[in-house]
Amino acid sequence: LNAFVASGLATVLAGLPLSGHWLMTMLFMVSHHMCSSAMVQMCARVAPNQDVAFVLSAGYVIICMLFANILVKVETVMPCLAGVRWYTSMFFAMAGLIEVEFAGAEEHGFPAGNQVADSFLIHYRDGYTFHAMECLACVWVFYAMFSGVGLLALKYW
């Protein structure tokens, strides 16, 4: 419920959905919210104290923001650092959300949304491209990993 309310507020305040795909937009927002919450809980369970947990979670959020193709285009980053994007949940969440929101959107009869969406598509080896549902699945894999590590840390740490 918390994820739904927070994502709903963020969606309304941002003026989304632009595309009319409210359900898919909310699915991405709620999924990423839950994934981020699981990451913070995992850090709290793994860390020896609250200060270390804060540094771990804040560090991961900063890395996510840098490699989500929003603040910095990953193509402009040194190749040795560009691989970090594959370890950030926000990279997949933003790529899928932008495809859902902008693909097919028109402005003054010009399909500008397709250019925006195409610039955020995730291209993998052998020409494979991640689309919205694959990106959503990746976010849920991160959620499962964060929750699993948090559960193991709670039980055995």
Side-chain angles (χ1 to χ4, degrees):
L1 181 65
N2 178 26
F4 184 77
V5 170
S7 298
L9 285 173
T11 303
V12 170
L13 291 174
L16 300 174
L18 303 171
S19 61
H21 298 116
W22 186 81
L23 188 59
M24 283 300 294
T25 299
M26 285 300 291
L27 184 60
F28 269 95
M29 298 284 285
V30 168
S31 298
H32 187 257
H33 185 94
M34 290 176 62
C35 181
S36 298
S37 178
M39 182 273 302
V40 170
Q41 291 175 18
M42 178 199 71
C43 290
R45 292 174 181 155
V46 169
N49 60 43
Q50 184 178 0
D51 296 333
V52 174
F54 176 76
V55 169
L56 287 173
S57 61
Y60 184 74
V61 168
I62 290 168
I63 289 170
C64 280
M65 290 175 68
L66 286 175
F67 289 95
N69 263 349
I70 301 298
L71 299 175
V72 177
K73 290 300 279 180
V74 176
E75 299 93 48
T76 63
V77 177
M78 292 186 305
C80 61
L81 292 176
V84 172
R85 68 182 173 209
W86 300 105
Y87 302 102
T88 63
S89 58
M90 190 180 254
F91 176 63
F92 296 100
M94 291 308 298
L97 180 63
I98 287 171
E99 182 178 1
V100 166
E101 277 299 302
F102 290 100
E106 291 185 2
E107 184 173 331
H108 303 293
F110 181 71
N114 291 334
Q115 286 182 317
V116 173
D118 289 345
S119 70
F120 282 90
L121 286 176
I122 299 173
H123 301 288
Y124 194 62
R125 297 182 191 139
D126 301 326
Y128 184 77
T129 301
F130 283 72
H131 289 285
M133 293 313 290
E134 289 98 348
C135 291
L136 186 62
C138 290
V139 171
W140 280 98
V141 167
F142 275 97
Y143 172 77
M145 182 190 68
F146 292 143
S147 296
V149 171
L151 179 67
L152 291 173
L154 185 63
K155 187 168 181 149
Y156 299 111
W157 199 268

